[in-house]
């Protein structure tokens, strides 16, 4: 039988990784997640606290799954050896493309705050643009 405390620790670590990567790669900040899901900002922020993060309630996790890409929400289920897969009935690729492009715009604006973009920032923006291109190709094929 699995160690319950160990499993909870693993789930919390994966939850934190999902939120960190969603913000880094898709511009999904706590404020944006709260706005798009209707979950109170304080609740979303409590999931990200590194000292004592709160575990998401199942209903909140389902709401988060609607806006965070499947490969990231699947991180939370890794301790169980499971994955989240889109059933194909929605426009998941279009949504993912929208999230990625809006994240690119937010990153670009943030990096231009001082009027210039350094070499490292240009590389990060180029990587995000590459992901946008790949998604656009997938959308075109679907």
């Amino acid at each position: 039988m699995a160690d319950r405390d160990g499993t909870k620790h693993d789930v919390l670590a994966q939850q934190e990784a999902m939120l960190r990567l969603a913000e880094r790669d898709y511009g999904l900040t706590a404020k944006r997640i709260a706005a798009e899901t209707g979950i109170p900002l304080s609740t979303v922020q409590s999931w990200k606290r590194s000292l004592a993060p709160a575990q998401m309630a199942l209903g909140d996790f389902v709401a988060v799954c609607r806006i965070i890409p499947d490969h990231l929400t699947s991180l939370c289920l890794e301790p169980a050896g499971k994955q989240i897969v889109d059933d194909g009935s929605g426009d998941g690729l279009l949504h993912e493309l929208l999230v990625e492009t809006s994240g690119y715009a937010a990153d670009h604006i943030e990096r231009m705050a001082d009027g210039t973009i350094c070499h490292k920032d240009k590389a990060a923006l180029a990587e995000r643009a590459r992901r946008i291109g790949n998604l656009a190709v997938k959308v075109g094929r679907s």
Side-chain angles (χ1 to χ4, degrees), residues 69-139:
D70 295 345
H71 70 282
L72 293 180
T73 52
S74 289
L75 291 173
C76 292
L77 300 177
E78 273 188 8
K82 304 292 181 179
Q83 291 184 13
I84 293 176
V85 179
D86 191 314
D87 67 4
S89 65
D91 56 349
L93 281 176
L94 286 174
H95 180 76
E96 195 170 340
L97 182 59
L98 174 65
V99 169
E100 190 68 32
T101 55
S102 62
Y104 177 89
D107 278 358
H108 195 279
I109 291 167
E110 182 179 320
R111 288 179 163 107
M112 282 295 294
D114 63 358
T116 60
I117 299 178
C118 73
H119 177 70
K120 186 177 180 181
D121 287 343
K122 282 182 185 178
L125 288 169
E127 172 60 23
R128 179 163 266 187
R130 184 192 61 73
R131 287 195 308 266
I132 290 169
N134 289 339
L135 280 171
V137 168
K138 288 179 184 177
V139 167

Side-chain angles (χ1 to χ4, degrees), residues 1-99:
M1 188 155 143
D3 172 22
R4 186 169 186 258
D5 288 336
T7 299
K8 184 174 180 178
H9 177 270
D10 292 345
V11 169
L12 288 171
Q14 294 302 97
Q15 174 182 291
E16 188 277 329
M18 174 192 69
L19 294 168
R20 182 176 35 79
L21 292 170
E23 182 171 356
R24 184 193 78 188
D25 296 345
Y26 297 94
L28 292 169
T29 62
K31 191 172 187 176
R32 188 163 161 203
I33 291 170
E36 290 192 33
T37 62
I39 299 168
L41 178 59
S42 60
T43 300
V44 177
Q45 289 171 331
S46 75
W47 301 334
K48 297 178 78 175
R49 292 196 183 106
S50 56
L51 292 177
Q55 195 166 5
M56 286 183 199
L58 182 57
D60 290 343
F61 181 68
V62 170
V64 165
C65 285
R66 291 184 184 122
I67 64 166
I68 294 179
D70 295 345
H71 70 282
L72 293 180
T73 52
S74 289
L75 291 173
C76 292
L77 300 177
E78 273 188 8
K82 304 292 181 179
Q83 291 184 13
I84 293 176
V85 179
D86 191 314
D87 67 4
S89 65
D91 56 349
L93 281 176
L94 286 174
H95 180 76
E96 195 170 340
L97 182 59
L98 174 65
V99 169

